[in-house]
Amino acid sequence: MDALTDLLDGPRARGAFMLRAMLDPPWSLRIEDEAPLCVMAVVRGAAWVIPDGGDAVRLGPGDIAITSGPGRYVVADSRATPPQVVIHPGGRCTTLYGEPLAETMALGVRTWGNSADGESVMLIGTYHMRGEITQRLLAALPPLVVLPGDAWDNTLVTFLGHEIVKDDPGQEAVLDRLLDLLLISSLRAWFSRPGANAPGWFKAHGDPVVGPALQLLHDDMAHPWTVASLAAKTGVSRAALSQRFGKLVGEPPMSYLTGLRLAQAADMLRETDSTLEAVARRVGYSNAFALSTAFKRVRGLSPQEYRDRVSA
């Protein structure tokens, strides 16, 4: 398994919030839902995404925007249009004064807006829970990812547009999987773009030395790797591997492995009821005590404290 496959293997939408928005200007939505991740695809017209404290980005037909929370932002027809609607956690929408708008702006199955023939049409998919998106993926992304429509094969957007308005049996599961596929396809294209602000490990994936080393670590993170054993597998000296790995990835091989193991442990603690001993052995620690020591040293709290916090 390569590093990107390992990273993108995490999205698992479960009853994701899915919506087709149809809007005539002027319109402006203040997003305060604190969702860990949201995917927006412009089907028709245009939209501005204006993060709090960030640069505004204009989206056109076929463009994809991926926002990672809990940051707040505005989506509007123009940078000059003041917010009219607030989107709260769970997809609840109100006026600026808290008056509910879900029914007054409903336009049909998973369709919402101020016009049945909206000048701007967007498809929106939101992951509600952090357990649906691995922390490793969230950590690899900036607050706003924008993928131009001409940078990838965006036929998935068309397919999602057909499916999002259906109310057939099992439709929620269909839409969950389509959202996962759209996210994964978009991010794969975004990571691969020339000049993309991709993580060091992604840029190093094609290196003849560091690429195979990364794949070995991701294939079997529980193996008792050392720099020497990793160097032997890749056919270079320990010094050469350490120097090249550090230059391209930004940290030493064993530090990268520790981060990988602890990220996987955190995902397991959040998403499963596995015992700490089972988690420890799964990610390459000899026992629960060894995992706890490393986890607290790096993350500042014990695995049990972490599990209690994310499940609260």
Side-chain angles (χ1 to χ4, degrees):
M1 180 184 294
D2 61 67
L4 184 60
T5 297
D6 193 18
L7 186 77
L8 296 179
D9 191 44
R12 294 289 188 274
R14 293 188 290 270
F17 176 76
M18 303 290 295
L19 187 71
R20 179 178 66 166
M22 305 183 69
L23 299 155
D24 277 342
W27 59 270
S28 180
L29 317 176
R30 172 76 178 163
I31 313 299
E32 298 183 353
D33 61 0
E34 301 179 358
L37 206 68
C38 178
V39 182
M40 291 177 283
V42 176
V43 176
R44 185 167 70 226
W48 283 89
V49 181
I50 311 165
D52 285 9
D55 294 330
V57 178
R58 185 182 185 275
L59 306 177
D63 294 349
I64 295 279
I66 301 170
T67 61
S68 50
R72 299 178 175 186
Y73 54 97
V74 169
V75 183
D77 69 304
S78 165
R79 286 179 291 181
T81 304
Q84 305 152 339
V85 175
V86 180
I87 308 299
H88 303 273
R92 184 174 63 89
C93 57
T94 71
T95 66
L96 298 181
Y97 306 102
E99 300 161 330
L101 288 172
E103 293 186 8
T104 57
M105 297 185 72
L107 296 173
V109 177
R110 300 186 192 86
T111 303
W112 176 94
N114 62 15
S115 171
D117 299 307
E119 182 177 311
S120 294
V121 178
M122 295 181 295
L123 305 180
I124 301 165
T126 302
Y127 291 84
H128 292 296
M129 305 297 293
R130 289 195 170 270
E132 298 171 322
I133 298 288
T134 66
Q135 190 61 39
R136 284 173 293 156
L137 177 54
L138 293 174
L141 298 177
L144 175 62
V145 168
V146 175
L147 182 66
D150 60 4
W152 69 304
D153 180 5
N154 59 6
T155 52
L156 276 172
V157 174
T158 302
F159 188 40
L160 179 60
H162 289 309
E163 291 291 327
I164 201 170
V165 295
K166 293 182 180 180
D167 200 20
D168 297 337
Q171 194 65 18
E172 184 177 283
V174 170
L175 293 175
D176 281 348
R177 298 293 73 78
L178 280 175
L179 177 59
D180 291 341
L181 186 57
L182 178 61
L183 173 64
I184 291 168
S185 299
S186 301
L187 289 179
R188 183 174 62 181
W190 181 76
F191 277 123
S192 301
R193 290 182 64 214
N197 188 23
W201 54 259
F202 179 78
K203 298 175 183 177
H205 179 67
D207 184 81
V209 173
V210 179
L214 285 167
Q215 184 149 346
L216 286 167
L217 296 178
H218 282 266
D219 279 345
D220 189 3
M221 72 176 72
H223 184 79
W225 292 108
T226 63
V227 175
S229 64
L230 198 59
K233 284 284 189 179
T234 54
V236 296
S237 69
R238 287 180 295 175
L241 176 63
S242 295
Q243 181 179 22
R244 197 171 185 88
F245 198 103
K247 179 181 179 180
L248 295 180
V249 179
E251 60 183 322
M254 295 301 100
S255 175
Y256 179 87
L257 178 59
T258 296
L260 181 65
R261 286 171 167 172
L262 295 182
Q264 180 65 33
D267 290 340
M268 291 183 67
L269 290 167
R270 182 174 57 247
E271 299 168 16
T272 75
D273 58 0
S274 299
T275 65
L276 188 56
E277 192 73 27
V279 172
R281 295 190 182 280
R282 175 77 179 271
V283 301
Y285 287 91
S286 57
N287 52 50
F289 178 76
L291 172 60
S292 296
T293 301
F295 200 96
K296 188 162 188 176
R297 182 182 70 250
V298 172
R299 293 180 172 254
L301 68 170
S302 72
Q304 187 58 54
E305 289 170 337
Y306 174 82
R307 173 174 266 172
D308 292 342
R309 179 175 296 183
V310 297
S311 63

